Amino acid sequence: MSGIRIKNLRKSFGTYTALHGIDLQVPNGTLLALLGPSGCGKSTTLQLLAGFEAPTEGEIWADDVLLSSARGVLPPEKRGISLVFQNYAVWPHKTVAENVAFGLSIRRLPKAEIAERLDRTLRTVRLEALRDRYPSELSGGQQQRVALARALAVEPRILLLDEPLSNLDAHLREEMRYEIRQVHDLLGLTTVYVTHDQSEALVTADRIAVMKSGHLQQLGSPEDIFERPSNAFVATFIGANNELAGTSEGNGAIRVGNHVLTAPDRSGAAHGARVSLCVRPSQVRLFGAEQSAVADEGCNVLSGTVLRSAYLGEYRDVLVDLGGGRTLRAFVPPAQSFAPGSVVTALLPIGSCQILGPAA
Amino acid sequence: MGVISTDSPDSAAAAIARPAMARVPLARTAVFGAVALLLFLLVVLPFGWVLNNSFHDDLTGAWTLGNYARIFQSADLLEPLFNSLVLAVATAVIAVGIGVPLAWLVSRTDLPFRRTIRVLTLTAFVTPSFIGATGWILLAAPNSGWLNALWRTLAGAEAGPLLNIYSMTGAIFICGIYTVPYSFTMVSSALDEMAVELEDAAATLGSGTLRTMLSITIPLVTPAVIASFILSFIQGLTLFGVPAFLLTPTGIPVVTTKLAEFYQLFPPEIFMAAAYCMPLLLVTAMLFWMRRRILGRKQFVTISGKIRAGRRIALGGARWPAFFAALLLPLVSVFLPYAALLLVSLTRAWGQGLSWENLSLHWYWWALFGNSETHTAIVNSLLFSTLAATLCVMLGTVVAYIVERKMVFGASLFGAVATVPIIIPGIVMSVGFFAAYTRAPLNLYGTPLLLVAAFAATFLPIAYAHGGSILKGIGPELERAARSLGAGEGRTFLAITIPLMGGGLLSGWFLVFIPIIRELSVAVFLITPKTNVMTTLIYNAKDGGNYEAVCAMSVLLLLITLALVAAAGPLTRLTSARRTSRKTAPAEGALPT
């Protein structure tokens, strides 16, 4: 099998274990997003892939070449892996062209070829006009593109991107997402993209690996991750989510306080185990006391009082107190308005609910 | 087959799997080996020899504790210790007592000519204190001193001398005024760097100027004041030139001059001298440890804010009196001694008094071209200092890089070794290099290499600390980016790290070159007629009574030092100027993004 193969990768720093044995495959030509909160081990994984750290255990292969194992590490400069850094790491003492051509001159390519590849790369990221500028004269987005061009110019086997957009402002970030995806489609490079931003991952990636506390939680397509999360952590991390903690009653049933609710059970947990009922706020429907709750499909029914309601233009974000310290968020049509303190009935369509176990 | 294998074929393959290029490259080993060897030769070996020698008897060479016993039993050896402590305490009191108010006046108030006072104080900083002492001998020697002569013409020929520089008071005065710049610089930079917002915050809460000073400003600079007290104390304790010039003639011994005495005995008591270094080392080590603790805990002192805006405390009617008070230090540390040195160096024969016929550049011509001894010393000073500063900065930078990037296991040990010379007084360093390199197999006595190595070792801590602070400002990603593009460690260091350090490296070079060229005590036991330098020549020549030549040499050394200080700033700025291409068009910034 070709592409990147990560086998049982473990990394400890002293007594702290950053990675608890990760297995991952990135087929050639795909873009994998490593997604997770800070401290989840995604950056450690990237450092290991780039060859700046040695694994405590496990192996990293690229096609049929062993890159890293506990017994040794192929140094970064011999891996054919380019890395784009979070803070760009564009060299301030070199011009745009000098930055981009650096890797080419290391390879002792003929002058003509260097010039040709430099031009082509600058064109790819639309930096031709700025080639003689120094980085201090560039905007953040332009520096980001220099970093990308520098990484691409050497035609690496693998491209690594470490939170490449996190230092950009929100507007630019949104544009650059598509640009990165576009470059990927153009060049078809095997790419690993580290991010903590779920929408960045959803937009750019072919496959997403969700991580937490050094464990891989789920590996799958964006649709898999969003629609069929493997556990409550993934469900909550990707998109808005309600997580009602309870215990498994078996057979697709969960006890939440005094209620027994039903939902497709994807936890695989035994009777009595701690599980959660997860449902997206957009799927929850609310009815006031004067309205009669109408369900056209099987629904779990809960009642509560409105804690707060926020108008967000396209919908209203309503927080309902279910009693027993539990709350439920619902995104309802803006026309529906609820005053704080009013009693409501919440319908949770069974098909949109899932019973999920805790994070690995 | 019925045999159950515990090894799956897969894990067996994994056990032998090993990345192709995982071996440690030869070049890497060579560089680390060279650095370790240099550190060993420059720091560990001399220090080790001092320690080893201190336990041996000078006559028999046998293993003994007798040298240490002698220190505590002989009044002859205890008296210098006591005198050194007196000198050190008094120096520190003067340095802090004058330096702190001066720093406050310059950094915080509307004192007239603040910049001039700052520059003059810096001039005192770079003046070697033994040259200051030479100047003051001309001014205040009991009989011939000009100020005393002036006093006699005013008070009558029968009046005794007003001032006697050849005394403990005289030595304290000289050590004090040339140590003031240390405390001044430390405290004024603490005041300059202190965030103006911290004081503003107190003001917005209703605190008046005085209250703010007492409850915010003073507590914030206290660590700097204490640290400068400690540093001044060490200075007073370890100075060699000033006591050698001013106290030895009157027979008041201090530790450093007593050390020199051991070498002048016949036969020289070199092992005894080694043991006598230890009390000095113990005190300096303890003081540096204290200083580190004080500065380490109170890191907030250097929390930098904006460059202080124009708002300053108005001195009102006290402005001009304060200015004249602030001018006193430059007067006694720069104007008077420089004037004396300059005048004497320009007279053909000082004894004949001032007259036009007596004025000449004879002694400068003599020193530069006419006399092979002085000519050699000038060439040596420039050459050795250049080589030593270069070696020092190169080694310090590489060690700082290894430590900062944690390149090998135990990298911090490299850093610790490179820092050790900071606690070793120059005179002890001289003892150490004499001990280590005047014997086989590394007999370097009489070679330039010995002096270059001793100078480089003495100032290695400065180069190392300076290199480290520059490297802290260079993100490791800038280097990692080069690595991931195919550049090896060495190539990355040369193509990325060194250019990024740029002007900082040059300023580091000046930072060690200047103290090296004015250093006396390190060289004092190591020189031979062929390897004499300007400082040791001045030290040895002043006993000969040829004051005109001594003064001409002193003025030349001062000129070289001041010229370098003046050149350092602009040169450093030139190389570290932020790069911008000439065709900057701000409007073009709005390109398609």
Side-chain angles (χ1 to χ4, degrees), chain A residues 21-56:
Chain A
I22 300 275
D23 288 287
L24 268 180
Q25 279 87 40
V26 189
N28 271 334
T30 57
L31 193 157
L32 172 88
L34 280 179
L35 177 65
S38 60
C40 72
K42 56 188 193 298
S43 291
T44 305
T45 309
L46 204 74
Q47 295 298 321
L48 286 162
L49 269 170
F52 293 117
E53 300 280 358
T56 310

Side-chain angles (χ1 to χ4, degrees), chain A residues 47 71 77 81 91 107 175, chain B residues 15 478 480 483 485 593:
Chain A
Q47 295 298 321
R71 306 197 46 197
E77 61 268 26
I81 295 181
W91 299 308
R107 282 163 180 67
E175 257 184 35
Chain B
L478 290 167
R480 292 187 160 191
R483 295 291 301 282
L485 292 174
T593 44

